[in-house]
Each structure stands twice: as structure tokens, then as C-alpha cells.
Amino acid sequence: MADLQFILDPTKNAESVQAFLEYFHLSLQRMDLRYLEELLSHFSTLPYENISKIIKLHNHFEEKENRIRLPEELISDHISFRLGGTCFSLTYFLQTILVHHGFRTYPVMADMRAGNNIHTVNIVVLNRRKYLIDPGYLLNHPMEINPERRRLYKTEFTGVELQFDAAAEFYNLFTFDSAGKKWRYRFKDHPVPWEDYFHHWQQSFFKPGMHGISLTRLTPDGLIFVHKDFMRETTLSGKRNIKIKRNYHEAISGVFGIDKRLIEQAQAALEDNLRRERELGIFKPKKEEL
């Protein structure tokens, strides 16, 4: 069995941090909230996408340690192919960057409607205050967490609200816009050991979110979300739904800059991954998916 402490050790992977700084033309600065915000603003340009994860699962279906994309691979793939990652790889990479800058930070697990422990976020402790950092959900601003205060963060096109449930000791995160408010996930302010983080990361390869291609990225005007053959653009003026089934590869490539060949590779890998999951009894499709 591999040494998990070596695989998941954010004090390592220094080359990935240097590559990130050079790519975004950054230099080490004082460890304060302003610089944390600057780091996060650049990091949030890395898209949420599972194309890379679908391909990686296909190439290493039975090799747990080789499935995960560590920071060097993630930043290299972004520079070369405009790829990003999902919540686990993005959170771990950001954790690595913050640790190498001297920030005190740790990961926690979060529950969503699709299940428990399927999302992960960072907590940063700075000047005796704690901040939620969520690269997987593309929150481009640190949100202070305080059990005694409800927190609200607004952008030009949406908002984020953080509430503390004292009875359950959970923080609940909601997003809201002109159409209303939606619960997204909940988490406890408990650091997750790296062995458990590795386990949850491995489990994430076989969750429903891996049964279709999904991408999200921030733009200067708002947010673009893709799931299967559906695209939604959210801006200040509202939401626009776009059907992309007929020009699928061109639409994703045009918005995200990802090569069409990688999209085609992910589609083929997805079909084969589902076949293998069915054979192993991992994936039991719902009636509408048959």
C-alpha cells in the first residue's frame, strides 16, 4: 500500500506552487487577507471540470494512487490544455499553495443533496479569524465563518449566504439570486485527516457527478455552467439556457478553451467507465438513464 502521508502532503509539491506563481505573474508577499484574496482571484480562473477526472479514471481504473491528479499535473494541464479539476484536486492544490505561503489552513468535508462527504473545502485561519475557501464551488472570495454571525457575500450576478446551525453544529451554505435561494452544502469545522481525505477522494470517482461531463467557469460577466448537453450562462441581466447537443465540442471548446480532442476522449472514456461500473455492480442507472 502506498504511503498516504507522502501522496497527500501539502508541504511538498513546491514545483507546482512555483509554476502557479510564474503563470499568473505573482511573487511571494506578506501573509495577509489582501494577498489571500489576490491568490484566490487568480486561482478561481482554473475551471471546475471533470473531463480530466473521467479520462484519469479510465486510464487508471484499478490503480487508486494513480487516479488522483496532484498539483504538478493539475497546473501543467491548465497551462497546456486549459483544464482545471474537481473539488478534491482543486482544494488540495490550493491547500498546497497556501501552505507554501505560510498560511495556516486545513481541509474539511461537506455534505450535499447527492450524499455525505462528497464535497471538500478549505478553512484558513488568519489573525484569529477563520475563512471559508471553496475553489471547487468557484467562490472567488474568502468568507469569514463565525458561529455567532450570519455571513453574506454578493457579486454582480449572485450571492452566497453562510448560516450556522447551533443545534447540529453545521455551517450551511446557500446561493441566491433574483429567482430565490438554494441550499448547496453543509460542513462542520472539523479538519479531516489526510487518510480520510484520500478515501473520500477515491470514493468520488464513482459518484453520480462522474456519470456525465460537467464544467463551470467564472467570466468577467458572470458564470457559465455545463452539464451533459446543457449550458447555462448567468449574468447580471439573468440566466440564459443554451442547447449545445448539436455543436457540443465546439461550444465547450469555445467557452473553456479545451481542445475538442480531449472532449471526445472524455466522452469515449465516460462510456467505457460506465460499462465497467455496471459490470462491477457499482453503477445502477436510474430508469430514465436506461
Side-chain angles (χ1 to χ4, degrees):
M1 187 173 182
D3 183 356
L4 301 188
Q5 287 298 107
F6 173 77
I7 293 175
L8 298 181
D9 183 353
T11 65
K12 300 185 184 295
N13 306 109
E15 291 182 5
S16 68
V17 179
Q18 187 59 37
F20 175 85
L21 294 175
E22 291 177 358
Y23 182 72
F24 288 105
H25 307 290
L26 297 169
S27 58
L28 288 170
Q29 299 180 29
R30 190 173 66 178
M31 187 182 65
D32 57 17
L33 183 59
R34 185 198 62 79
Y35 186 48
L36 176 61
E37 291 174 340
E38 183 178 359
L39 285 173
L40 191 56
S41 70
H42 289 290
F43 194 90
S44 65
T45 65
L46 276 64
Y48 176 97
E49 53 80 20
N50 66 357
I51 287 175
S52 56
K53 190 170 183 176
I54 289 169
I55 294 173
K56 201 71 186 286
L57 175 61
H58 184 258
N59 293 340
H60 303 281
F61 197 86
E62 297 179 356
E63 304 168 21
K64 288 185 177 182
E65 293 80 6
N66 293 323
R67 289 180 198 151
I68 65 175
R69 296 169 66 241
L70 293 173
E72 278 83 7
E73 183 178 1
L74 195 151
I75 188 61
S76 176
D77 283 350
H78 180 69
I79 294 170
S80 300
F81 309 113
R82 298 296 180 266
L83 293 169
T86 58
C87 65
F88 282 93
S89 56
L90 290 172
T91 296
Y92 184 70
F93 184 25
L94 183 56
Q95 182 90 11
T96 300
I97 293 171
L98 295 176
V99 165
H100 279 266
H101 280 79
F103 286 98
R104 181 187 166 195
T105 175
Y106 53 88
V108 301
M109 297 306 303
D111 305 331
M112 305 181 83
R113 294 193 188 281
N116 296 338
N117 296 315
I118 62 173
H119 187 56
T120 181
V121 300
N122 288 317
I123 302 295
V124 175
V125 184
L126 187 61
N127 297 327
R128 299 181 181 179
R129 296 182 178 181
K130 291 186 176 183
Y131 296 90
L132 169 68
I133 311 291
D134 187 352
Y137 219 78
L138 298 184
L139 298 183
N140 62 347
H141 188 86
M143 287 192 69
E144 184 180 352
I145 63 172
N146 187 326
E148 297 178 358
R149 297 181 183 177
R150 180 175 67 99
R151 291 294 175 181
L152 208 63
Y153 172 62
K154 293 183 179 181
T155 68
E156 292 83 359
F157 60 94
T158 190
V160 181
E161 183 178 342
L162 197 60
Q163 295 181 0
F164 183 68
D165 183 340
E169 297 185 343
F170 274 106
Y171 286 95
N172 289 283
L173 185 134
F174 303 83
T175 59
F176 61 90
D177 54 25
S178 57
K181 185 167 71 172
K182 291 184 179 180
W183 180 84
R184 298 299 184 178
Y185 60 79
R186 66 180 185 179
F187 65 92
K188 286 189 174 183
D189 182 17
H190 293 167
V192 58
W194 288 117
E195 293 85 351
D196 293 344
Y197 189 91
F198 181 82
H199 170 74
H200 295 312
W201 195 343
Q202 292 298 332
Q203 293 293 106
S204 73
F205 282 89
F206 303 101
K207 297 296 184 181
M210 286 287 284
H211 297 156
I213 290 176
S214 296
L215 306 96
T216 309
R217 67 165 294 213
L218 293 172
T219 71
D221 300 317
L223 182 143
I224 296 178
F225 168 72
V226 173
H227 181 61
K228 297 184 178 179
D229 58 0
F230 167 86
M231 179 183 288
R232 170 176 289 170
E233 182 180 16
T234 303
T235 64
L236 180 62
S237 58
K239 296 180 179 179
R240 183 167 69 101
N241 297 330
I242 309 165
K243 293 182 179 180
I244 60 172
K245 188 173 184 178
R246 293 184 178 180
N247 64 329
Y248 189 78
H249 305 91
E250 291 80 4
I252 292 178
S253 181
V255 171
F256 291 86
I258 298 173
D259 193 290
K260 298 175 186 177
R261 290 170 294 183
L262 279 174
I263 303 169
E264 292 173 354
Q265 184 181 352
Q267 286 180 306
L270 176 62
E271 185 176 343
D272 201 42
N273 290 346
L274 291 175
R275 176 189 61 79
R276 286 193 272 186
E277 286 188 38
R278 289 187 180 99
E279 290 175 354
L280 293 172
I282 298 173
F283 173 49
K284 298 179 180 179
K286 297 178 182 178
K287 187 175 181 179
E288 59 268 22
E289 295 178 308
L290 293 172

